[in-house]
Amino acid sequence: LSLQPGAELRVPLVLPVPSLVRYEVQLLDASRSSLGLQPSLVLSLLPSRGEAVLPPTLLDTAAGSPPPGTIHVPGSGIFHLVLQNTSLLREATVSAAVTHRPAEGGPSAEEEE
């Protein structure tokens, strides 16, 4: 997946119960531009209404791909996991995956992008 400068990817999640959302982002093109710049990736988890579960958070791409992470979602509803390339000069080529399961440890459901 290529994210142009300033572009974003929104992955909808329908969570019927409080859940654990696990994400993994792999930076496939870790080379720097001729100006020494690399993509600047920001991740957030937004409900359809209300405050962000995960406010916009800069992913550390200095050493390549950032480590996977888990977000606890205390409620239910429709959410969007948003990955943004905030760089104005550099395209980001990434592989991204998101899975979720009930926080209480029930069967898992998966969505991948």
Side-chain angles (χ1 to χ4, degrees):
L1 172 70
S2 292
L3 288 173
Q4 297 299 315
E8 69 179 28
L9 169 69
R10 291 179 163 263
V11 178
L13 299 173
V14 178
L15 305 177
V17 296
S19 300
L20 295 175
V21 174
R22 181 165 172 78
Y23 64 86
E24 183 173 357
V25 177
Q26 293 181 339
L27 188 57
L28 300 178
D29 180 8
S31 63
R32 295 176 183 264
S33 71
S34 60
L35 300 174
L37 302 173
Q38 67 183 67
S40 181
L41 299 175
V42 172
L43 187 75
S44 57
L45 182 60
L46 309 172
S48 56
R49 289 188 309 224
E51 293 186 32
V53 175
L54 176 68
T57 303
L58 183 64
L59 297 178
D60 182 9
T61 58
S65 296
T70 301
I71 306 164
H72 179 261
V73 180
S76 60
I78 299 172
F79 298 83
H80 284 93
L81 190 67
V82 181
L83 180 63
Q84 295 175 288
N85 178 9
T86 58
S87 172
L88 297 178
L89 301 173
R90 182 85 165 93
E91 178 180 90
T93 303
V94 300
S95 171
V98 61
T99 60
H100 60 87
R101 65 178 175 84
E104 302 295 348
S108 69
E110 294 187 5
E111 286 191 31
E112 293 190 24
E113 183 59 38

